[in-house]
Amino acid sequence: MENTDPSPGIIADSADYDAIVVGASLAGCATAILLSRAGARVALVEKQPDSNAFKRMCSHFIQASAVPTIERLGLLDPIVAAGGQRSRVHIWTEWGWIEPSGDAGTDCLNLRREVLDPLIRGATAAEPGVDLLLGQAATRLLREDGVVRGVSVRDREGWETELRARLTVGADGRESPIAEMAGVAVKTSPHGRIAYGAYFEDAAPRHAPDASFWFLDPQWAAAFPTDSGLTFYAAMATKDHVPEFKRDPEAALLSFVGDVPEAPPIREGRRVGPVFGKIDMPNRTRAPVAPGLALAGDAALASDPLFGVGCDWALQSGEWLADSVAPALRGEEPLARGLRRYRRRHARELRGYAFAINGYATGRRLSPAERMGFAAAARNPRAASVLEAYATRRIKTTRMLARMLPLAIAVNARRAIAR
């Protein structure tokens, strides 16, 4: 159905932009804000009609590596003002607790997506170069000579509009209809755990406002203190636990988290809202660019949520993409050069992490080398600092291995000799 009388929220029957971003969540908003500030005119397309819509199944733990991105976006103060918790991580292992270091730049962030998503979406809509188009679903890609040149969108009444741009961005999640329309190949790898979680009040763990993780090998549990005095408790159990979680999600969550060593007070708290669960979470990797097209966030790389990568990789990949293509959108170079720059940056920043994360996502137990590293981190502050820097994505895999392996060998050897 062609629209000859544009409805509210539609720019025109055919509108031209420098970039069209599909998906107004963290990755899409970060991309749109930074492209706008670089001088681009951006259409931000979102299928949800409600500006307060938010992602429901998410631990909302933002790693320290993404905090500089949040600061650059001008969102750190608003997030803290909204109740966001500056947080570090305490990790329980069979060798003892791994405690956070006093290193600078290690603070993470926790703010419920119910608060965070409308906050960042509102900030994006306030950018003078961004048109936020709510209630618009992308239905097909526009192409010229094999190059993506925009999208056709349909509103909830069925009116269609063609939006044209030099660059189209898919920031539409791990399923990514944009990537599917573009025919971008996807590589999947299995995930051997399930994820369930819920918010509780009057149930803060003893390390609050810091987060607490329990690496039970191969089971995992966590507590994320957040705004409004709430704590998000999460369980990621191997798939043999599916029957009990399906039968009674709340009872299973209370039992799983309430029975971990040095358990937090989940049973003493009051659940606020439903218990959310997800059983099938395959890891998905796609090439982040194609002619005229880029993918950001989970659309490009969706890895195991156990390691808290979703929010920070969404924000950071949006930043890397905007920085990479901004010169091209200003007419200073071909777009293909900017897309190649983004592809290289994306691989350089995330490939090593994804390889390690996807290996553990199968539900396997820790490898001997991993056990050695966790044991050393529980016993030695220097080893704990290295692990923290890696876990918060502030150092890459190669640097972590170069620093951790000799340190772990020495720490554990001294422990064995002392016995």
Side-chain angles (χ1 to χ4, degrees):
M1 186 186 325
E2 293 295 327
N3 183 10
T4 57
D5 183 17
S7 303
I10 298 294
I11 301 302
D13 289 332
S14 181
D16 293 331
Y17 292 89
D18 297 305
I20 299 164
V21 180
V22 179
S25 191
L26 302 186
C29 286
T31 305
I33 288 174
L34 294 175
L35 284 178
S36 172
R37 292 178 185 174
R41 186 171 180 235
V42 183
L44 180 58
V45 176
E46 172 54 51
K47 66 180 179 180
Q48 296 292 338
D50 184 3
S51 62
N52 292 317
F54 61 96
K55 185 175 182 178
R56 295 182 181 274
M57 185 60 188
C58 180
S59 69
H60 55 65
F61 187 71
I62 301 175
Q63 296 282 8
S65 59
V67 172
T69 305
I70 290 173
E71 290 182 297
R72 181 179 175 187
L73 293 168
L75 294 173
L76 182 57
D77 288 343
I79 285 174
V80 172
Q85 297 294 305
R86 300 307 303 267
S87 175
R88 293 187 177 181
V89 175
H90 301 252
I91 303 173
W92 184 93
T93 73
E94 64 182 272
W95 304 277
W97 283 93
I98 301 173
E99 302 292 355
S101 70
D103 297 350
T106 56
D107 281 357
C108 305
L109 275 172
N110 257 306
L111 180 66
R112 286 177 299 149
R113 296 294 294 268
E114 184 175 357
V115 182
L116 176 62
D117 288 12
L119 188 156
I120 191 172
R121 196 174 292 122
T124 310
E127 289 290 325
V130 178
D131 290 331
L132 175 60
L133 307 181
L134 296 173
Q136 307 289 329
T139 57
R140 60 186 173 87
L141 294 176
L142 309 179
R143 300 176 189 265
E144 294 177 6
D145 300 323
V147 178
V148 176
R149 296 298 189 191
V151 296
S152 180
V153 299
R154 180 184 297 135
D155 69 14
R156 297 173 74 83
E157 283 72 44
W159 299 108
E160 291 207 11
T161 302
E162 290 187 350
L163 305 173
R164 300 183 180 276
R166 293 185 62 199
L167 173 67
T168 300
V169 178
D172 50 346
R174 66 165 57 222
E175 305 299 331
S176 188
I178 290 295
E180 290 292 320
M181 292 178 204
V184 178
V186 58
K187 180 180 179 181
T188 62
S189 59
H191 195 288
R193 294 185 181 84
I194 59 175
Y196 278 79
Y199 290 97
F200 290 77
E201 64 179 5
D202 300 322
R206 68 184 177 96
H207 294 121
D210 289 349
S212 299
F213 297 167
W214 284 263
F215 270 85
L216 305 171
D217 194 19
Q219 316 300 336
W220 181 89
F224 300 99
T226 186
D227 62 282
S228 305
L230 300 177
T231 299
F232 185 75
Y233 281 104
M236 291 193 69
T238 50
K239 288 196 171 179
D240 54 299
H241 288 267
V242 166
E244 64 204 67
F245 275 92
K246 276 191 169 183
R247 183 170 54 250
D248 190 335
E250 181 176 17
L253 180 64
L254 289 172
S255 175
F256 190 94
V257 176
D259 290 342
V260 301
E262 301 182 51
I266 185 173
R267 288 191 173 102
E268 287 74 53
R270 185 178 74 86
R271 179 169 58 83
V272 178
V275 177
F276 296 105
K278 197 169 183 64
I279 290 174
D280 191 23
M281 301 176 290
N283 303 294
R284 290 183 174 160
T285 304
R286 297 181 177 93
V289 302
L293 175 73
L295 303 176
D298 281 352
L301 178 61
S303 288
D304 187 354
L306 185 153
F307 291 94
V309 295
C311 292
D312 42 304
W313 286 1
L315 293 162
Q316 289 180 282
S317 62
E319 179 180 31
W320 303 331
L321 173 58
D323 288 346
S324 296
V325 301
L329 297 185
R330 290 195 295 264
E332 298 169 5
E333 64 181 22
L335 178 60
R337 182 178 299 170
L339 291 175
R340 286 195 299 270
R341 188 181 299 120
Y342 172 57
R343 183 188 64 209
R344 290 192 299 267
R345 178 78 184 271
H346 194 276
R348 184 171 68 248
E349 297 286 353
L350 302 184
R351 182 183 293 161
Y353 294 126
F355 179 81
I357 288 171
N358 292 352
Y360 189 64
T362 59
R364 65 167 174 80
R365 296 178 66 86
L366 294 169
S367 70
E370 289 165 342
R371 289 176 62 83
M372 183 174 65
F374 274 100
R379 294 164 176 165
N380 181 274
R382 286 180 57 206
S385 179
V386 173
L387 181 65
E388 180 183 47
Y390 182 65
T392 54
R393 319 291 177 243
R394 292 179 298 112
I395 61 172
K396 295 185 175 60
T397 305
T398 52
R399 186 177 175 193
M400 182 276 293
L401 291 173
R403 295 173 61 183
M404 178 62 87
L405 282 177
L407 185 57
I409 291 171
V411 168
N412 290 313
R414 284 196 298 268
R415 174 82 173 193
I417 292 170
R419 286 183 174 179

